[in-house]
Amino acid sequence: ACRAGWRGVAATQRRALCTMSALEAPPLPLLEEGIADARSARAGSPIPSLPPLPDSTMRYLLVLDVEATCDNPQREAHEIIEWPVVAVDCMTAEPVFEFHRYVRPTENPTLSLFCKKLTGISQEQTDAAEPLDVVLKEFDAWLVERGLIDPVTGAQLGQWAMATDGPWDLNHFTARECDRKGIPERAHLRTYLNVRKAFAKTYKLRSSRGCSLAAQLTRLNLKFEGRPHSGIDDTRNIARVLGAMLRKRSVFCLNPNEAADPNVPGRYLSVKFESGGGGVNTLLRGPKKARGARNKAKKAEKEAAAEAAAIDVYVSVKLESGGGLMNAASEGVRGPAMATGGLAETVLAALAPLQSS
């Protein structure tokens, strides 16, 4: 578990890192049903003083980890059935408030047995919930109440961003379902921090592949708290990982690093932000499928060029029953495309002495 990263850190600080989200104090009063401020940190736990944020004015990161309908094998399109959000204060690296709703699927309202066992969500919970369009409106109202979006235009106010563990929550599940159901697009759900990428860069890993939430917690010497694949529990644990990076004052988690493709729901782009928190939206690469098509085209061009430059050719010959070679032009010449043209006659003529010998 990344021992080098722990060198020079006081024991009290290490304990605080490992218990940063063990929130055992009584919850604050509910602001409305299903919406509550996060519990305050354990009374008496030492909270290390943190230096100012480097080159950033980011105030909040709103962690989201949805759950969606699923089956084994998957036959129908996914529909979101849980929308949990935990807001982390970048200044203190602590969770400060939560939003949590179950969502009623409308295309295939009956949950599979596999889905109920995996997520722990019951049919009764989704039947009693609102559909996704209503839940997103409630989420907007929650953001308005905290001064994060304009109540009239819905424009984002202040420095904050969504954060997810990978591109799937906002680009695969949310974007595709909203596009399929005609739910209005929200700008604040398009650009986000991919926590997995930020973690890989913070701890100098070669790639974010294989950098699952469980692997991230293990590297931080933390244990998963709650039930895996419960949306709210997954979100709280992602917030713990994000809090650890914020305590480390990692610059890689202070600005969004991905954005939804504006033309194709389900695809995403990598974006780069200038230091100081200003976004320049410089596209580093395009959608994966588009990149794959370009790579295939380049590979085909190289292969065609190699065939054009090739000089090695060979022909197919046919043996007669008596053992002699029969110069059958119908057998044709096998080799590079250009060789099968004018060189065919030359090569076949070169085989004529073999037949007479």
Side-chain angles (χ1 to χ4, degrees):
C2 194
R3 297 179 179 177
W6 291 86
R7 292 175 182 172
V9 180
T12 55
Q13 291 179 320
R14 291 199 298 269
R15 287 195 293 272
L17 284 172
C18 292
T19 60
M20 58 175 292
S21 64
L23 308 176
E24 298 178 354
L28 298 175
L30 293 178
L31 300 174
E32 58 178 287
E33 184 181 357
I35 301 177
D37 279 356
R39 302 175 184 178
S40 57
R42 177 184 297 178
S45 294
I47 300 178
S49 59
L50 300 176
L53 292 174
D55 297 329
S56 175
T57 56
M58 184 68 67
R59 181 58 196 278
Y60 296 114
L61 286 168
L62 275 58
V63 183
L64 169 71
D65 193 83
V66 304
E67 295 301 324
T69 55
C70 53
D71 203 352
N72 188 20
Q74 182 67 30
R75 298 182 179 86
E76 308 292 344
H78 295 285
E79 292 184 87
I80 294 172
I81 56 176
E82 187 177 3
W83 185 274
V85 176
V86 174
V88 178
D89 189 328
C90 295
M91 298 296 295
T92 64
E94 296 289 339
V96 288
F97 38 79
E98 294 182 353
F99 176 91
H100 184 216
R101 287 285 192 276
Y102 291 108
V103 185
R104 173 164 50 87
T106 57
E107 295 172 336
N108 297 284
T110 303
L111 303 183
S112 67
L113 180 62
F114 175 83
C115 182
K116 290 185 284 187
K117 286 184 176 181
L118 180 69
T119 65
I121 299 174
S122 67
Q123 187 68 54
E124 292 74 20
Q125 287 174 311
T126 57
D127 287 345
E130 298 290 349
L132 181 61
D133 59 334
V134 176
V135 170
L136 289 179
K137 290 179 181 178
E138 293 176 350
F139 181 56
D140 288 344
W142 182 80
L143 294 173
V144 168
E145 185 176 353
R146 282 156 180 78
L148 299 180
I149 63 172
D150 186 274
V152 179
T153 64
Q156 184 171 330
L157 302 175
Q159 293 293 325
W160 65 275
M162 301 298 297
T164 63
D165 183 37
W168 308 282
D169 297 273
L170 287 174
N171 284 310
H172 182 77
F173 296 117
T174 306
R176 290 185 177 181
E177 184 172 352
C178 288
D179 180 71
R180 195 170 65 246
K181 296 182 177 181
I183 299 174
E185 179 184 48
R186 287 154 171 81
H188 52 268
L189 298 181
R190 297 195 61 82
T191 305
Y192 57 93
L193 173 73
N194 184 333
V195 176
R196 190 170 295 201
K197 279 187 177 179
F199 187 90
K201 290 187 176 181
T202 298
Y203 294 97
K204 299 180 180 179
L205 306 180
R206 289 186 176 181
S207 169
S208 60
R209 292 184 179 180
C211 194
S212 64
L213 175 57
Q216 295 171 50
L217 291 169
T218 299
R219 190 174 185 86
L220 294 172
N221 201 24
L222 300 174
K223 292 184 178 180
F224 189 95
E225 295 181 353
R227 186 188 192 283
H229 300 295
S230 161
I232 187 61
D233 288 341
D234 284 350
T235 303
R236 287 169 178 164
N237 281 277
I238 296 169
R240 295 171 68 203
V241 172
L242 184 58
M245 288 190 288
L246 288 170
R247 290 180 184 277
K248 190 181 178 69
R249 286 317 194 216
S250 168
V251 297
F252 299 110
C253 60
L254 296 177
N255 283 308
N257 55 19
E258 282 186 358
D261 188 328
N263 300 316
V264 184
R267 296 185 186 175
Y268 67 94
L269 307 168
S270 287
V271 298
K272 184 178 182 180
F273 283 71
E274 290 178 338
S275 60
V280 294
N281 284 331
T282 302
L283 302 184
L284 300 182
R285 65 175 189 265
K288 284 187 175 181
K289 290 185 179 180
R291 297 201 310 275
R294 286 196 297 269
N295 291 339
K296 287 181 180 179
K298 289 181 180 179
K299 184 178 180 180
E301 290 178 1
K302 289 182 179 179
E303 290 178 350
E307 288 183 354
I311 59 174
D312 294 330
V313 296
Y314 61 94
V315 297
S316 293
V317 295
K318 186 175 182 180
L319 291 176
E320 293 179 334
S321 58
L325 291 172
M326 181 178 68
N327 185 358
S330 61
E331 288 296 309
V333 179
R334 304 293 185 266
M338 292 187 68
T340 60
L343 293 180
E345 296 179 0
T346 303
V347 175
L348 290 174
L351 290 177
L354 294 177
Q355 291 183 316
S356 60
S357 60

